[in-house]
Amino acid sequence: MPEIPLDFWDYVIFASFFLMLGGVGYWAGRGEQASSQDYFLAGRKLPWYVVGGSFIASNISSEHFIGMIGSAVVFGVCVSLMEWANVVTFSLLIWLFIPFLLSSRVFTIPEFLEKRFSLAVRQCFAVVTVLSNVVAFLATVLYGGGLALQSMFGWSLWFSIIALGIVAGVWAIYGGLSSVAWTDLLTVVVMIAGGVLVSVLGLQALAGEDGNLLDGFRVMIERNQATSGPWAEAVAQQREHLTDQETYNRLSLFQSPTHAITPAISLIPLILSVSIWYNVLNQFMIQRVLGAKDAYHARMGIVLAGWVKVFFPLISVLPGMVLFALHPEIMLRPWDEVKPAADQGYVSLIQSLVPIGLRGLLLAALFGAIQSTINSVLNSTSTILTLDIYRRLLVPSASDRHLVRVGVITSTVVLIIAIVLGGFVGELGGSLFEYAQSLYAFFAPPFAALFLLGIGWRRINSAGALATIVTGFALGIGLKLYLSVSPEAPAWLFPFWNQAALNWIVCIVVCIAVSLATPPPRAEQVTEQLTFHWSKLALSEGLGTHWYGSVVTWWGLFVVAMLILFVTFSGIVF
């Protein structure tokens, strides 16, 4: 990546951010090692704005600021679909999953799966979660952040990754979820401020000295339509890598079935697989919901997170489209050079657009995103290793203080492993964002299938769940091997969205077939805390007392805003 010149005030801003982060982390983590509930679930006392802020901060990391912006340079606005499609999952969270999971009073999702299915299902999910946390999240985030540190200070990549891991992981180890959640709230404010600054400066650069932001937006839209000049030439040169159609619309969310990252044909199965797994079953995301004060704070937190998702492409996708408008020559390179060059987009924009003195804020935003994800993943991985593996299998009688000590140790060990793996992510090549997304598409389908069927249909049993896990991962590995040795395979099978959709559908069929062919679950496995009993589900509780603070009001506006965006970028308007 290009080096970023910094001056005294950049260092002051950057250092001030980390000092503030340290102060918040220390304040929030005081006394949190007193009990396992305090350490792993923040004593179930997080307010809605912390739940929502932490939920978003945990989700945003280097693959967004670096990888997602890079993908937007190449593919255009369709990358936003990965953010905006969350309207479905967030709505399910607000109206179904939150009241359901809070009533179960569990610490972890694996704990819930044992109650609903069996110990074997719990341990399978726990092990896979730990693996995915380390490989798909921590290693990716550390690598992306290491690249940015390398460009800032000229450090070696390995030293950058090690330094970042130590600095970012300290608060998760010290104060548990409480430190993580409150530092996340500060981080998300800085991330949004820094991201908006890049977008504003980018649009101003397109508008010229005499133009305004609206003029810059018009120029950005016009050039991304790619109807003339080097922009049309860039899209034409790479068309075979972008679409199987005669033309490619960079301003449409909905792309062809063979699109590399967002084939629209797989959108619904993807929401019910990857999105459910990521936002509901993923411990490092759902943990702050389980730590909320009550149902209202949990629900309102997700509503807040939803509103951030509405606007988030302004700082994760729009800069990539601005960069394409400014430098279409990125897409005129040979294809194997396009994605690595595009991944340098965020740092390039900082270097070319942001004046010295303000670059420290942008770098604080990037590293805030990185440290928040590292903290959250470390805390959740430690929770699962401690409660679902160590206590459940090795020391059932362990005291609270003993469990907290084990949590501290496991956090440290996991961080060391992730640092080592992070140094090798770059050897895999390709886009950082696509690497992360392809791993999500591999891990998600079997567990999303058995979870959705398990809570919705009391006939689903442990045998069906185990068969689904084995089938899902066998099929996922089989597809990867088949595509690696069969270049003549159907083009629609190469996009990882399509692989996830196919895998999820097969898992649904297997789970139902095996469950029906084997004895039904025991009565204690299908209680109202473990399966949906619609008449007893507290759907109307925790909605707020006044219309202006009501979950219903703000959720309804959130859905309307998302629908407007879907229509605007459906290929009809542009």
Side-chain angles (χ1 to χ4, degrees):
M1 286 192 173
E3 291 187 6
I4 306 175
L6 303 175
D7 77 351
F8 172 76
W9 288 110
D10 291 315
Y11 289 110
V12 168
I13 293 172
F14 191 67
S16 298
F17 168 70
F18 277 100
L19 287 175
M20 291 173 61
L21 206 65
V24 171
Y26 175 76
W27 166 78
R30 292 173 303 165
E32 292 298 304
Q33 295 190 17
S35 72
S36 57
Q37 178 159 282
D38 287 342
Y39 189 76
F40 296 115
L41 286 183
R44 298 187 192 267
K45 58 180 183 294
L46 297 178
W48 65 269
Y49 48 88
V50 176
V51 172
S54 183
F55 197 89
I56 285 296
S58 301
N59 172 238
I60 301 169
S61 197
S62 56
E63 78 266 19
H64 289 80
F65 278 97
I66 295 174
M68 198 169 189
I69 289 175
S71 291
V73 173
V74 179
F75 297 105
V77 79
C78 65
V79 183
S80 302
L81 201 58
M82 305 219 182
E83 301 299 323
W84 291 339
N86 281 294
V87 62
V88 178
T89 314
F90 282 21
S91 296
L92 291 174
L93 253 176
I94 292 164
W95 295 108
L96 296 179
F97 297 136
I98 283 177
F100 178 69
L101 290 174
L102 292 184
S103 69
S104 68
R105 300 295 293 177
V106 295
F107 273 68
T108 67
I109 293 297
E111 180 185 354
F112 170 82
L113 293 177
E114 179 182 5
K115 292 179 179 180
R116 175 61 182 89
F117 296 113
S118 66
L119 176 60
V121 175
R122 175 179 184 167
Q123 297 309 317
C124 285
F125 185 79
V127 170
V128 170
T129 297
V130 171
L131 288 174
S132 65
N133 281 359
V134 174
V135 176
F137 295 107
L138 284 176
T140 307
V141 169
L142 286 168
Y143 172 71
L147 284 178
L149 267 183
Q150 187 181 37
S151 71
M152 282 176 57
F153 303 112
W155 298 346
S156 72
L157 180 62
W158 273 106
F159 181 78
S160 300
I161 290 173
I162 292 169
L164 179 63
I166 293 172
V167 172
V170 65
W171 297 118
I173 296 172
Y174 162 72
L177 181 60
S178 186
S179 281
V180 169
W182 281 96
T183 54
D184 280 353
L185 181 63
L186 170 63
T187 297
V188 81
V189 173
V190 174
M191 281 193 290
I192 291 173
V196 168
L197 177 61
V198 171
S199 296
V200 167
L201 292 174
L203 293 175
Q204 192 62 54
L206 288 173
E209 293 182 3
D210 299 326
N212 54 38
L213 293 181
L214 187 57
D215 295 327
F217 186 80
R218 290 195 189 101
V219 172
M220 186 269 294
I221 291 294
E222 178 184 343
R223 292 181 180 179
N224 274 269
Q225 287 175 320
T227 55
S228 63
W231 304 279
E233 182 185 351
V235 172
Q237 178 171 314
Q238 306 298 350
R239 184 186 60 79
E240 64 177 303
H241 301 290
L242 302 174
T243 182
D244 58 355
Q245 308 296 312
E246 290 299 319
T247 59
Y248 182 72
N249 187 350
R250 289 178 53 86
L251 297 178
S252 175
L253 291 172
F254 305 108
Q255 299 294 340
S256 71
T258 60
H259 193 271
I261 59 171
T262 58
I265 192 174
S266 298
L267 181 58
I268 299 302
L270 189 88
I271 290 171
L272 297 176
S273 58
V274 175
S275 192
I276 291 292
W277 171 79
Y278 190 98
N279 291 302
V280 182
L281 295 177
N282 197 331
Q283 184 68 24
F284 89 82
M285 295 296 290
I286 203 66
Q287 193 157 340
R288 48 269 308 124
V289 174
L290 297 175
K293 286 182 178 182
D294 53 36
Y296 173 77
H297 287 274
R299 282 173 151 172
M300 204 62 179
I302 300 302
V303 171
L304 172 62
W307 274 104
V308 177
K309 287 288 187 183
V310 170
F311 296 103
F312 190 69
L314 290 176
I315 63 178
S316 66
V317 175
L318 189 145
M321 298 174 71
V322 166
L323 189 60
F324 174 79
L326 289 169
H327 299 290
E329 65 272 13
I330 292 175
M331 292 280 286
L332 292 171
R333 301 170 180 232
W335 178 249
D336 59 353
E337 296 179 14
V338 168
K339 291 181 181 179
D343 272 352
Q344 298 176 13
Y346 183 74
V347 175
S348 297
L349 286 171
I350 294 176
Q351 184 185 46
S352 60
L353 299 178
V354 181
I356 289 178
L358 285 178
R359 293 175 180 178
L361 175 63
L362 274 299
L363 294 169
L366 172 62
F367 286 103
I370 293 167
Q371 71 84 31
S372 65
T373 300
I374 292 173
N375 277 343
S376 299
V377 177
L378 269 183
N379 181 252
S380 66
T381 307
S382 169
T383 302
I384 289 175
L385 285 171
T386 303
L387 301 182
D388 293 301
I389 296 177
Y390 181 80
R391 183 179 67 177
R392 183 65 181 85
L393 296 180
L394 302 177
V395 189
S397 60
S399 67
D400 260 6
R401 285 193 171 275
H402 181 74
L403 291 175
V404 171
R405 285 197 299 272
V406 172
V408 171
I409 294 169
T410 54
S411 294
T412 306
V413 172
V414 167
L415 181 60
I416 293 171
I417 295 172
I419 287 172
V420 173
L421 293 177
F424 293 100
V425 170
E427 302 299 322
L428 300 174
S431 164
L432 182 65
F433 184 67
E434 290 180 44
Y435 165 75
Q437 295 296 321
S438 66
L439 286 175
Y440 304 163
F442 174 76
F443 286 117
F447 291 111
L450 68 89
F451 176 74
L452 288 173
L453 286 173
I455 64 175
W457 189 11
R458 280 171 278 177
R459 185 61 181 80
I460 301 299
N461 60 18
S462 177
L466 288 170
T468 301
I469 295 171
V470 173
T471 301
F473 286 111
L475 179 58
I477 294 170
L479 285 173
K480 299 292 184 186
L481 292 175
Y482 170 62
L483 294 174
S484 68
V485 300
S486 303
E488 302 303 319
W492 65 266
L493 196 53
F494 283 90
F496 48 81
W497 272 28
N498 291 344
Q499 294 174 36
L502 175 63
N503 198 334
W504 181 80
I505 291 170
V506 171
C507 285
I508 289 287
V509 173
V510 168
C511 193
I512 293 173
V514 174
S515 294
L516 291 177
T518 51
R522 302 185 305 274
E524 65 269 20
Q525 294 177 309
V526 290
T527 64
E528 61 188 65
Q529 284 77 36
L530 302 175
T531 57
F532 281 149
H533 288 242
W534 296 100
S535 62
K536 297 182 179 180
L537 201 59
L539 299 180
S540 60
E541 294 180 8
L543 298 179
T545 55
H546 302 288
W547 68 268
Y548 51 82
S550 169
V551 171
V552 177
T553 301
W554 289 103
W555 168 79
L557 292 172
F558 159 57
V559 171
V560 170
M562 284 295 196
L563 289 175
I564 292 172
L565 289 170
F566 273 105
V567 171
T568 302
F569 294 99
S570 63
I572 298 173
V573 177
F574 298 112

